[in-house]
Amino acid sequence: MSQAMNRRAAAEYLGLSVSTLAKRAITGNSPLMRKLGRRVVYLKSDLDAWLDAHQRRSTSETSCSNAR
């Protein structure tokens, strides 16, 4: 299993604030997470997959398309 990170460590890894990552978790626009009781943890592999899925060629792209 990949290394599990708490929200603070995951936010730092992604370059986001902790509050931004928490808000994205509420809206469903966050990396996959695991809830262990009240704790939320993220796997590094899920963070990497989320980053890969949000690649863009320009700031005007609105979806994860591979525009050529």
Side-chain angles (χ1 to χ4, degrees):
M1 183 190 286
S2 295
Q3 177 185 355
M5 294 182 227
N6 63 23
R7 184 167 280 150
R8 181 174 305 283
E12 184 176 319
Y13 181 78
L14 295 171
L16 300 172
S17 70
V18 175
S19 63
T20 296
L21 188 55
K23 287 174 190 172
R24 286 178 175 242
I26 291 168
T27 63
N29 187 23
S30 73
L32 290 175
M33 66 192 115
R34 274 79 173 161
K35 276 205 62 145
L36 307 172
R38 296 178 76 182
R39 272 183 67 208
V40 173
V41 296
Y42 299 84
L43 299 182
K44 183 180 178 295
S45 58
D46 291 334
L47 299 178
D48 290 336
W50 186 78
L51 285 171
D52 288 345
H54 286 81
Q55 293 183 62
R56 304 288 190 275
R57 293 191 186 277
S58 74
T59 57
S60 62
E61 282 185 52
T62 57
S63 66
C64 298
S65 63
N66 290 328
R68 293 186 177 141

